[in-house]
Amino acid sequence: MLWSNRRRPLDLARRGAVLGILNVTPDSFSDGGQHLAVERAVAHGLQMLAEGAEIIDVGGESTRPGAAAVGAEEELQRVLPVVRGLRAAAPEALLSIDTSKAVVAEAALAAGADIINDITALRGDPAMRALAASSGAGVCLMHMQGEPGTMQAAPHYDDVVTDVRRFLAERLAVLAAAGVAAERVVLDPGIGFGKTPQHNLQLAARQRELLALGRPLLLGWSRKSTLGVVTGRPVAERLPASLAAALSAVVHGATVLRVHDVAATVDALKVWRAIDEAGAAT
Ligand code: PT1
């Protein structure tokens, strides 16, 4: 156990918790104005909780390859009402805030978020480390080579798994020195963040080498372009591929799965868990 709010702990010794993606960007819920957009986003978060998500990840800045950065004011306006609304409607839920800006993370934590999900692994904003230490929030440390705007230009590694493992070990040490206990941290190899499809697939195949760092793993494969390369499918047709990647991740030891399609992923995990428990019982 380590990620929790005052009401509910999440058992991170148990594999296969679903984190539902709640993007609050202008392309997601905004036709019809700001008020409606907030209502719809909150409703979508509640829907994912009803489908069995353990955590809702609220994000106001797209970080997919080629995405442009947004300003702090804009990001705050997008995410804060949604965090507030979800916290009010779902006091038990675990909420994470997907941001690289300390002002956004701080306001979201004050509004009831429990976890900082910062794709820069707390390198992007110098104030983020102190906030992580003083707030007591959970932290997801993710590997990324480069920055979202340019990271897919020419990803290069000597050995991607060794490089990612070394990076995550270094970040764990930096955070420990800053007063963020390892018990609060989950690690993420950052699928699609400055990596070719082959790099991503190697990380999936050799996930166990990352587990050797002694922390739970979070994996985000949902609808990503590597799945498009493998299957030849456009983003709207990647659910089967996403389920296969999620199941592979959990079989290889992942604890948290970051997904768009919560109900389908929860079903897939139920089947895996039933098989796993039948094996354990014999
Ligand atoms: C992730 C993640 C994230 N992914 C965490 N946070 C995104 N902790 C946003 C593509 O190749 O994996 N872990 N926050 C979304 N980013 C991407 C990256 C989306 C690549 C799409 C692609 O299609």
Side-chain angles (χ1 to χ4, degrees), residues 63-65 98 117 119 140 142 188 192-193 218 220 224-225 258:
T63 52
R64 66 172 64 102
D98 189 345
N117 175 27
I119 60 153
C140 177
M142 195 195 80
D188 180 349
F193 286 90
L218 182 155
K224 284 186 180 172
S225 55
R258 184 180 186 275

Side-chain angles (χ1 to χ4, degrees), residues 24-114:
V24 198
T25 48
D27 45 328
S28 21
F29 297 99
S30 62
D31 55 320
Q34 164 79 4
H35 182 71
L36 248 187
V38 171
E39 250 172 56
R40 286 192 191 134
V42 171
H44 185 57
L46 294 176
Q47 169 75 24
M48 290 193 287
L49 289 169
E51 291 172 353
E54 304 265 9
I55 309 166
I56 302 299
D57 189 37
V58 182
E61 175 175 57
S62 175
T63 52
R64 66 172 64 102
V70 306
E73 271 311 310
E74 173 70 27
E75 200 181 326
L76 274 170
Q77 275 178 27
R78 290 178 187 174
V79 298
L80 265 195
V82 175
V83 172
R84 278 199 202 100
L86 273 178
R87 180 44 81 223
E92 311 268 291
L94 280 172
L95 305 178
S96 68
I97 176 74
D98 189 345
T99 188
S100 310
K101 299 183 185 74
V103 286
V104 175
E106 187 167 21
L109 293 174
D114 309 294

Side-chain angles (χ1 to χ4, degrees), residues 19 21 23 57 61-65 98 117-119 140-142 151-152 188-195 200 218-227 235 238 258 260:
L19 174 149
I21 300 168
N23 287 324
D57 189 37
E61 175 175 57
S62 175
T63 52
R64 66 172 64 102
D98 189 345
N117 175 27
D118 174 3
I119 60 153
C140 177
L141 276 187
M142 195 195 80
M151 65 192 176
Q152 291 307 111
D188 180 349
I191 298 303
F193 286 90
K195 296 167 186 96
N200 293 319
L218 182 155
L219 268 292
W221 276 100
S222 191
R223 302 181 185 172
K224 284 186 180 172
S225 55
T226 293
L227 302 177
V235 65
R238 292 181 192 159
R258 184 180 186 275
H260 298 88

